[in-house]
Amino acid sequence: MKSTENSGFTTVVYVVNYFSVMNIQKKKKIALVLSGGGIKAAAYHIGVCLALKEKGFVFAGGPKELVRQKFAEAQNPDQPTSPTIRLYVGSSAGSFVASVLASGRSLEALITAFQVGAGSPLFYDIPKEDYLKPIGYRHLFHLNSRRILSWLPESLLQKSLLTGGLEVFLKKGFTLNGLFNTNGIERYLRKYVLDENDFSRLGVELYVISTQLNHSRKTIFGPYLESSKTDTTRYIGYSSISEAVAASTSLPPVYAPYPIKKPDGNTLYHYDGEIRDTLSTHVAADHGADLIIASYSMQPYHYSPEAGSLHTYGMPAIMNQALYQVLEQKVARGIQFQQKKKDVYYELKKATEELNLSVTQKEKILNIVKDKLAFNPSIDYIYIAPRAHDYEMFFADHFSLNPIILQKILKIGFKSGLQVLKDYL
């Protein structure tokens, strides 16, 4: 059941599902969660964001955001406002896109940074003030030169590595921790994008996800006043934004783990944020979001007559398919688990109403369920992923900066976003 009503320049949409009502206009805190997947994922996320913009969403960000917000409220206190994203969660490539948006840069700035559609009218219509310095391969693939130089003599000159067998060779000979590092990405953000490199001074909330190398913990970088840790998660507030993104994008074995120095002088190494969780929507929920829009780009290949069977493409395609299937399963299980909790809650709510229990009794039962299931009925989720027939997305190179390829991926993200959002807006 769906109905709409006009309110100023916005549209209020109601979607009824399991006795719950999603009213996007009344959502108090909207979050955008972006997954990883290389440059391909970044281009896809930009397309999804363009679809959100097409549907009336606004991307807040930057140190002056609080001033703009207060001014808007003072000027038009009764005027309905567009649904505004003020909380960003990013992992790996998604952390790069999230940090650019949270810094106050526009979607058009992201388009110029990746040179998406360079040569097309869309590209030339972008105002000059929205231009960012184009990202180059020198930013993405900063050679891990110091580590390589220290590794070569040990790996190539020691006779024991040649006589100890294959296992010894692999363990002792390949001590190189990555061909490249993410220093170029950190420098690009710090020098060309971030006017403010402090999480607490953005005017919006930004959380960057990585994985602690020498532990089993997930790491969440954000505007924390004090850093803390649990058995499964470390919360870090002392890192700069650019360093956090560099840590989150350190995909092994291509990139070396990224060092983050603690206030006490010790160093913690981190790598790709997708290792522990493929889609960290819980971070947005934990920080008060009541509408979470999640974009992820890992769609396994579904047979298409145009492309044929993957067995003819060789090991790289088959390995990508295996990885995508694992990641998709992780995401699907998370979504299904969230839906099951929702089903249990609303079926139980229906049962308490049919039993004519008192308000106090119903609230007591439902509060127990919410507590035990860690379920918040006020939170709604919108998931956006490539459609099964978008096989070009699967075959695209993860790290290509070819503007024609990126434009195709952006269009796939845009169409995917519109396809999903039509059910809500």
Side-chain angles (χ1 to χ4, degrees), residues 33-38 41-42 44-45 89-95 274 278-280 294-298 331:
V33 180
L34 304 176
S35 71
Y44 179 82
H45 294 325
V89 179
S91 181
S92 195
S95 71
E274 297 283 273
T278 305
L279 202 58
S280 295
S295 171
Y296 61 99
S297 62
M298 299 289 190
V331 172

Side-chain angles (χ1 to χ4, degrees), residues 32 34 88-90 93-103 206-207:
L32 179 64
L34 304 176
Y88 300 87
V89 179
S95 71
F96 184 95
V97 175
S99 65
V100 173
L101 294 175
S103 74
L206 170 66
Y207 299 93

Side-chain angles (χ1 to χ4, degrees), residues 159-180:
K159 184 179 179 181
S160 62
L161 296 181
L162 302 177
T163 60
L166 179 61
E167 186 175 353
V168 172
F169 181 76
L170 291 174
K171 287 183 177 179
K172 294 185 177 180
F174 285 86
T175 56
L176 182 66
N177 61 6
L179 289 175
F180 307 97

